[in-house]
Amino acid sequence: MIFLQYRIAEQKIKGIITKNKSTTILQDVVDVLYENFEKYNWVGIYLVKGDVLVLGPWKGKQATEHIKIPIEKGVCGSAAQSGKTEVVDKVSKDSRYLSCFLSTRSEIVVPIKKKNIVIGEIDIDSDFPAAFDNNDAVFLEKIADMLRQHI
Ligand code: SME
C-alpha cells in the first residue's frame, strides 16, 4: 500500500513533466510532492547559483528565512558539495542543520545533477521524526533525475 503512494505520485509527476511545456514545472512538481505525502510538511527546490543555493519554488505552511544558503552551510550545502542524498533523522542532533521551522523534526535533501554536477536540490522537511527512509530517497532521486532537464 505504501509503495502505491510513491507510484501514484511518480505517475502524476511524469504527467506534469511530459505534458507541461510551461515554466511552472518545478512549482507543479513541488505541489504534487507536498500534497501527496502527509509527512512532507515543507517542500522546496534550491537552485545552485555560483557558490550559493537560491530557493526556487516551494510549498509549505510558512516561508523560510533561508532563501540563500552558501554552499558550505547547512544540510543543503552538504548535499550540494557531496552530490549525495542527505537524510537527517533528528535535526536537533545535526550540527550542520539550519533551522527554518520550529516544527521540523527530520529532513531529506536530494541533489539534482546534470552530468554529475549538482545544479539544484529537492529539500523536504518533516514534522515527524525519522520520516525519511530508503523508499523516499529512491523515489526522490528518480524525481530529481526527471527534473534535471528543466532547470
Ligand atoms: N534545513 C536546511 C535549510 C533549508 S530549510 O530546511 C527550508 C539546511 O540545514 O540546510
Side-chain angles (χ1 to χ4, degrees), residues 12-108:
K12 284 185 189 169
I13 290 169
K14 265 191 191 143
I16 288 169
I17 288 175
T18 49
K19 282 182 214 117
N20 189 332
K21 297 228 178 326
S22 76
T23 50
T24 62
I25 287 178
L26 296 184
Q27 184 70 60
D28 293 347
V29 170
V30 161
D31 293 353
V32 169
L33 292 173
Y34 180 81
E35 280 150 19
N36 282 265
F37 297 90
E38 206 191 330
K39 63 184 183 178
Y40 293 3
N41 299 117
W42 187 92
V43 180
I45 293 180
Y46 282 92
L47 304 167
V48 176
K49 307 260 185 224
D51 49 11
V52 177
L53 292 158
V54 179
L55 183 61
W58 64 273
K59 185 155 179 147
K61 284 196 202 87
Q62 279 173 274
T64 173
E65 63 181 277
H66 295 295
I67 52 171
K68 285 189 179 172
I69 302 176
I71 224 116
E72 71 278 3
K73 294 256 167 74
V75 182
C76 287
S78 286
Q81 281 183 318
S82 70
K84 299 220 163 72
T85 295
E86 288 283 348
V87 175
V88 178
D89 285 343
K90 198 170 182 182
V91 291
S92 61
K93 293 277 182 224
D94 195 311
S95 58
R96 300 166 303 171
Y97 176 67
L98 299 171
S99 172
C100 291
F101 318 108
L102 284 176
S103 56
T104 299
R105 293 289 171 271
S106 56
E107 178 168 20
I108 187 168

